[in-house]
Amino acid sequence: MLQQDSNDDTEDVSLFDAEEETTNRPRKSKIRHPVASFFHLFFRVSAVVVYLLCEFLSSSFIACMVTIILLLSCDFWAVKNVTGRLMVGLRWWNHIDEDGKSHWVFESRKESSQENKTVSEAESRIFWLGLIACPVLWVIFAFSALFSFRIKWLAVVIMGVVLQGANLYGYIRCKVGSRKNLTSMATSYLGKQFLRQNTGDDQTS
């Protein structure tokens, strides 16, 4: 879902420069956005619970499928557009420029000299735990549905993997930087090691 065409670009930019003045509070471990934290977990956990208990909650496969897909869709929108920005200062999105070229943008709020002023440690743990654990569960459900021949549920489970995996991928890109930055860092590191080794060889000789 996040794959780009060969002409697409990615860029990492600072998040919400206009909000930098709100970062003058010290970092705290308490939850500063309880509503966002609640909905960050509510939709994804509800989708998992409905999937596990659907046979007990309703005899209609269509009703369960629609409910799960609605919960997954609400979770995708909330996590992508709201909870990531509020809880960890990250956001990813796509825009089309005037030439029709697609750009994936991975944003992170600037860090000042006082490190991570706006990020609560408790909210950060909640965010990343929910972001990582639920896609892992959907992958497990996918293998379970496949090996137990529950083919009708496979499409629902794949939807869960795709939607929640997309958010996980996007926020990891926001956290670690763009692929181009990682490639340049690896190239720079290997170059330094090569030069250091050659310098050491010259000194010993």
Side-chain angles (χ1 to χ4, degrees), residues 23-80:
T23 66
N24 294 324
R25 288 173 289 184
R27 183 175 180 174
K28 298 180 179 180
S29 60
K30 69 178 182 180
I31 296 176
R32 297 196 299 110
H33 302 96
V35 176
S37 300
F38 172 78
F39 282 105
H40 177 71
L41 298 176
F42 174 75
F43 291 120
R44 55 184 49 217
V45 172
S46 297
V48 171
V49 171
V50 171
Y51 176 78
L52 292 174
L53 302 180
C54 58
E55 295 180 355
F56 303 99
L57 296 175
S58 174
S59 58
S60 172
F61 167 75
I62 299 299
C64 292
M65 180 185 69
V66 170
T67 301
I68 293 171
I69 291 177
L70 285 176
L71 289 170
L72 290 171
S73 300
C74 291
D75 171 76
F76 178 81
W77 182 90
V79 174
K80 179 179 179 294

Side-chain angles (χ1 to χ4, degrees), residues 81-193:
N81 296 297
V82 181
T83 65
R85 175 176 61 86
L86 293 178
M87 296 174 69
V88 291
L90 303 174
R91 187 177 69 172
W92 64 275
W93 52 288
N94 175 268
H95 75 92
I96 308 296
D97 62 18
E98 296 178 354
D99 298 326
K101 194 174 184 180
S102 176
H103 298 268
W104 289 103
V105 183
F106 301 92
E107 298 180 324
S108 60
R109 183 178 285 114
K110 285 182 177 179
E111 294 181 1
S112 61
S113 57
Q114 299 180 13
E115 183 181 359
N116 287 337
K117 292 178 180 179
T118 61
V119 177
S120 163
E121 294 179 357
E123 287 183 347
S124 180
R125 286 194 293 268
I126 292 172
F127 179 84
W128 290 107
L129 179 63
L131 194 70
I132 295 171
C134 289
V136 171
L137 288 177
W138 285 109
V139 170
I140 295 173
F141 294 157
F143 282 106
S144 175
L146 182 63
F147 292 129
S148 61
F149 300 102
R150 300 176 65 192
I151 304 301
K152 67 178 182 179
W153 286 105
L154 199 56
V156 179
V157 174
I158 290 175
M159 181 71 69
V161 173
V162 170
L163 290 178
Q164 298 199 349
N167 266 327
L168 177 60
Y169 174 81
Y171 281 114
I172 288 177
R173 288 290 302 274
C174 292
K175 187 71 174 176
V176 303
S178 69
R179 187 177 305 163
K180 292 182 292 185
N181 289 340
L182 293 178
T183 303
S184 63
M185 289 172 61
T187 304
S188 176
Y189 174 78
L190 292 176
K192 289 179 180 179
Q193 293 298 320

